[in-house]
Amino acid sequence: MHDPFPSATPPIVDIRRLSRHFGEKQALNDVSLTVPRGGVFGLIGGNGAGKTTLIKHLLGMLKPQHGTVQIFGLDPVANPVGTLGRIGYLSEERDLPDWMRVGELMRYTQAFFPNWDDSFAEELRDAFDLDKNARVKTLSRGQRARAGLLVALAHRPELLVLDEPSSGLDPVVRRDILGAIIRTIADEGRTVLFSSHLLDEVERVADRVAIIHQGRILLTASMEEIKQQHRRVTLRFETTQDQPPALVGTLSSTGSGYEWTYVCSGERIQLHRAAEAIGATVVDDAALSLDEIFVSRILS
Amino acid sequence: MQIHISTNDGVPIYLQVVNQIKFLIASGRLAAGAELLPIRVLASQLLVNPNTIARAYRELEMAGIVEKRRTNGTYVSEQGSPLARRERVKILTERIDALLAEASNLGVELDDVMKLVQQRYASIQSTRVNQSLQNQE
């Protein structure tokens, strides 16, 4: 899709034709994706769509079988030091060392990151109400996520990567996570990439979105383009129809008799012209939520 | 500055912010010269992308409804009043259209709708008078 603001700076993430299989299962299939510097990039897909596998390639935890992965212009497998130190990462499992106390976890993580900001770390610990002396093992699920978020944020990374940050968390902790994403990009030039299947959250915070399904990227565009280019129209025909008459760009359709509702990709004017061309009147026309767009894309 | 964002109805978030700020100005809850919340503050409060809020403020600025002063802050324009009037008429028109559609569905004639509007007005006025009398006591 055409980018109205081609950036002079190279992308933070540049993935080209990446494929990966685990035994028989094709986890990623010819994935190309660029994440521009600045802003929030939302990677959306259902369970097992390939989100985590993609993220593991960014962090150099998996080596590409086919294709290339570059992050800050570097290969993360060959340059773990040059890349990992600039990334803050919160995994879906929030795999933290269980035996440590929160204070120890902070000191331990600090050792890996020259840019660690002590006062920011303390500020976050205070805001998240984390006890320095509590063992990681004893933390509730929400507090564990907050601890993971703290160590991902406290070195003020250029790129914050969050894999399903909200999954299984209560609304209060989810607010903290969204707040952290917003604070991160409010600082000039920093970038957030997060994967999620909670689409209302993605719609709130993402500038750009990629939909991944069965290891393939189905769609990547700015949130605005995605919203503009999908509509739900209800058409009324002069005679009853047994099947929904074909409409250009249809992703899904439901209805009966005189009236049929279509979820379509295409801009408003195009759709109205197309409806006219098949002899129908538009009786209802609405923009879609990201959730509805995602579902119709996946099912089509 | 109370704004509520919904992600269920498909209206782009920046547009929801634009519409609600227009509404707040038209209804007098944001007066001419009032300062809008800083972009970052509103973004954190609503939990939406700061770029989205910036986009909404830009739209409002281009429409002359708000203005940037020097580098600090966005304020409701002083000359916002004629625009606010137009906006008020627009808001009322939408409500009236909805009312008329409802009346037509229920088979109520226009004359009866008008009578009902006047009755309601009289009733609300008398309640207000009573309340202010009570307050004075």
Side-chain angles (χ1 to χ4, degrees), chain A residues 91-109:
Chain A
S91 77
E92 190 180 2
E93 298 83 29
R94 301 183 255 282
D95 31 13
L96 303 170
D98 270 334
W99 67 90
M100 282 190 190
R101 297 177 194 277
V102 169
E104 290 167 342
L105 173 70
M106 289 166 71
R107 281 198 299 283
Y108 167 79
T109 316

Side-chain angles (χ1 to χ4, degrees), chain A residues 39-40 174-175 178-179 182-183 185-188 200-201 203-207 224 227 287-290 292, chain B residues 4-14 16 39-40 43-52 55 59:
Chain A
V40 182
R174 282 175 16 207
R175 282 189 72 89
L178 289 184
I182 288 159
R183 279 176 63 175
I185 62 145
D187 287 354
E188 284 300 309
D200 67 310
E201 294 187 357
E203 186 163 350
R204 277 171 180 272
V205 300
D207 300 289
E224 198 175 341
K227 297 280 284 188
L288 294 166
S289 68
L290 186 60
E292 293 168 298
Chain B
H4 176 74
I5 298 299
S6 158
T7 52
N8 301 325
D9 56 4
V11 179
I13 292 173
Y14 85 90
Q16 296 184 34
I39 289 170
R40 286 183 191 198
S44 302
Q45 191 182 306
L46 301 178
L47 291 176
V48 302
N49 193 310
N51 297 335
T52 306
R55 163 94 195 271
E59 295 267 326

Side-chain angles (χ1 to χ4, degrees), chain A residues 9-10 30 34 37 44 53 65 72 82 84-85 126 131 134 146 166 170 175 201 204 220 237 244 250 271 284 296:
Chain A
T9 51
D30 202 18
T34 55
R37 181 178 287 271
I44 60 186
T53 308
Q65 285 171 332
F72 314 115
L84 284 183
D126 194 50
D131 177 3
R146 286 190 172 107
S166 299
D170 67 61
R175 282 189 72 89
E201 294 187 357
R204 277 171 180 272
T220 171
F237 296 90
T250 299
L271 291 173
D284 194 24
S296 55

Side-chain angles (χ1 to χ4, degrees), chain A residues 221-272:
Chain A
S222 72
M223 183 66 79
E224 198 175 341
E225 286 169 330
I226 289 194
K227 297 280 284 188
Q228 262 172 17
Q229 289 169 358
H230 292 83
R231 296 196 76 80
R232 180 181 50 232
V233 293
T234 301
L235 303 186
R236 189 172 175 85
F237 296 90
E238 281 172 15
T239 54
T240 61
Q241 311 283 327
D242 296 332
Q243 294 287 323
L247 184 70
V248 181
T250 299
L251 297 169
S252 67
S253 56
T254 54
S256 62
Y258 292 103
E259 290 195 3
W260 293 81
T261 297
Y262 298 78
V263 171
C264 305
S265 70
E267 297 207 11
R268 196 158 179 267
I269 301 166
Q270 295 166 355
L271 291 173
H272 282 234

